Amino acid sequence: MRLTPIATLRSRITSTARRFGRAPNSVSLIAVSKTRTCSEILALAAYGQRLFGENYLQEALPKMRMLAGQLLEWHYIGALQSNKTQEIANGFTWVHSIDRAKIAQRLNEHRPAYLPRLNVCIEVNLGAEATKSGVALRELPALARAVLACPRLRLRGLMALPAPSKHSDEQRANLRALAEGYHALRAEGIDLDTLSMGTSEDFEAAIAEGATMIRIGTALFGPRGEATLKA
Ligand SMILES: *Cc1c(COP(=O)(O)O)cnc(C)c1O
C-alpha cells in the first residue's frame, strides 16, 4: 500500500525526532498552502492537519473565509507590509515574519481585544543577503525588546528561511545559528518556546537542530507552479 504524502511525512518527522532524542510531539507541522486551493487544504484537513501557513494576504483571505468552519489555525509566514497589518492581525493566530519594530507596533494596535494575543516570531536573516527579509542576528535583542513592549503580541520565538542547500552539513550550520540566537535570548530571561525552521528541503536537519515548528509545502502538496501569486 502506498502511503499518502502526509502519512509519509509524519513518519519521517517521528523517526527523525527519535533519532535525535526528541519527543515526536515536540515538532509541530505547518502545512504551507500558498498557491493551493481550498479543496487541497480540505484534503489535508481530513487527515487531521490543522495548522496552515500562508504567504500572500490577498490569496489567503478568501480561502480563510471559505474554510472558516474547519477550525484551522492560520499562520502568516510571508513578507509584511504596513498596509496589510490590520487584516493580518484580525485573521491570523500566528505571524512568523516580524522583521521590524514598526510592523510589530502596527500589529499590536490592530489586534482586536476580543481575540487572544497574536503569537509572533521574529524572522532572522541568516545569510545577510540584501534581498531577503528578516533582521540580522546582532539586531535581534533590540527587536525582541520592542516586540515584548507590545501588550497585544506574544513573542514565541524565531523563524528563518535559510538559503537552500543540498548539503546537510551546510543546512545544519545555518539552522544552528538560528538556534543559538534563540538560546541567547532565552539566556537573557526571555520566555520563548518556538523555533520555526525547516522546509521540505531541510526539515530533518531542522529537527536535529531543535525546530519546534516546521513549515512544509512541496512535500505535502507536490511542486508549486511557476506562476506565483502576488500579495
Ligand atoms: C514556501 C515556504 C515554505 C515551504 O517551502 P517548501 O519548500 O514548499 O516546503 C516554508 N517557509 C516559508 C517562509 C515559505 O515561504
Side-chain angles (χ1 to χ4, degrees):
M1 195 186 84
R2 259 184 88 233
L3 289 175
T4 57
I6 189 155
T8 305
L9 181 62
R10 282 173 175 160
S11 85
R12 281 176 70 189
I13 293 168
T14 298
S15 61
T16 307
R18 292 223 173 92
R19 179 148 46 98
F20 293 100
R22 301 189 51 199
N25 67 3
S26 68
V27 183
S28 302
L29 171 60
I30 300 177
V32 176
S33 47
K34 63 179 171 220
T35 78
R36 314 297 179 173
T37 62
C38 284
S39 57
E40 290 177 284
I41 293 170
L42 279 172
L44 274 191
Y47 285 96
Q49 178 62 30
R50 247 180 34 83
L51 278 49
F52 288 86
E54 288 282 342
N55 294 60
Y56 309 107
L57 184 66
Q58 298 320 326
E59 179 203 338
L61 287 176
K63 293 194 284 186
M64 291 162 72
R65 272 194 289 272
M66 292 272 289
L67 298 168
Q70 296 291 321
L71 300 179
L72 305 179
E73 183 178 283
W74 295 99
H75 292 241
Y76 190 82
I77 62 172
L80 288 160
Q81 293 160 267
S82 293
N83 61 350
K84 306 263 163 64
T85 49
Q86 180 157 19
E87 283 164 301
I88 291 172
N90 275 269
F92 286 81
T93 303
W94 283 71
V95 172
H96 290 238
S97 41
I98 302 268
D99 61 354
R100 53 203 192 274
K102 184 183 158 212
I103 284 289
Q105 286 149 7
R106 289 185 62 98
L107 289 168
N108 181 62
E109 280 163 30
H110 289 306
R111 181 64 170 177
Y114 63 85
L115 289 176
R117 286 183 294 163
L118 181 64
N119 298 290
V120 301
C121 293
I122 293 175
E123 181 173 358
V124 176
N125 180 351
L126 294 169
E129 294 162 69
T131 52
K132 276 226 198 136
S133 48
V135 68
L137 271 173
R138 67 176 179 285
E139 292 159 16
L140 188 52
L143 182 53
R145 279 191 292 275
V147 174
L148 288 169
C150 295
R152 299 295 299 139
L153 305 185
R154 181 171 170 207
L155 180 59
R156 300 294 296 265
L158 304 182
M159 183 272 244
L161 185 64
S165 162
K166 290 275 175 219
H167 304 287
S168 119
D169 288 354
E170 212 168 81
Q171 287 176 357
R172 286 191 62 170
N174 277 328
L175 298 160
R176 194 172 308 137
L178 187 72
E180 283 167 3
Y182 172 79
H183 291 299
L185 289 182
R186 286 178 30 129
E188 288 184 31
I190 301 176
D191 184 19
L192 306 177
D193 62 9
T194 302
L195 250 181
S196 169
M197 60 185 192
T199 67
S200 299
E201 289 295 321
D202 62 359
F203 72 88
E204 285 162 320
I207 291 170
E209 296 297 340
T212 67
M213 281 186 167
I214 59 175
R215 308 178 311 268
I216 309 287
T218 315
L220 282 171
F221 293 105
R224 274 182 297 276
E226 283 302 303
T228 44
L229 291 152
K230 287 278 170 284

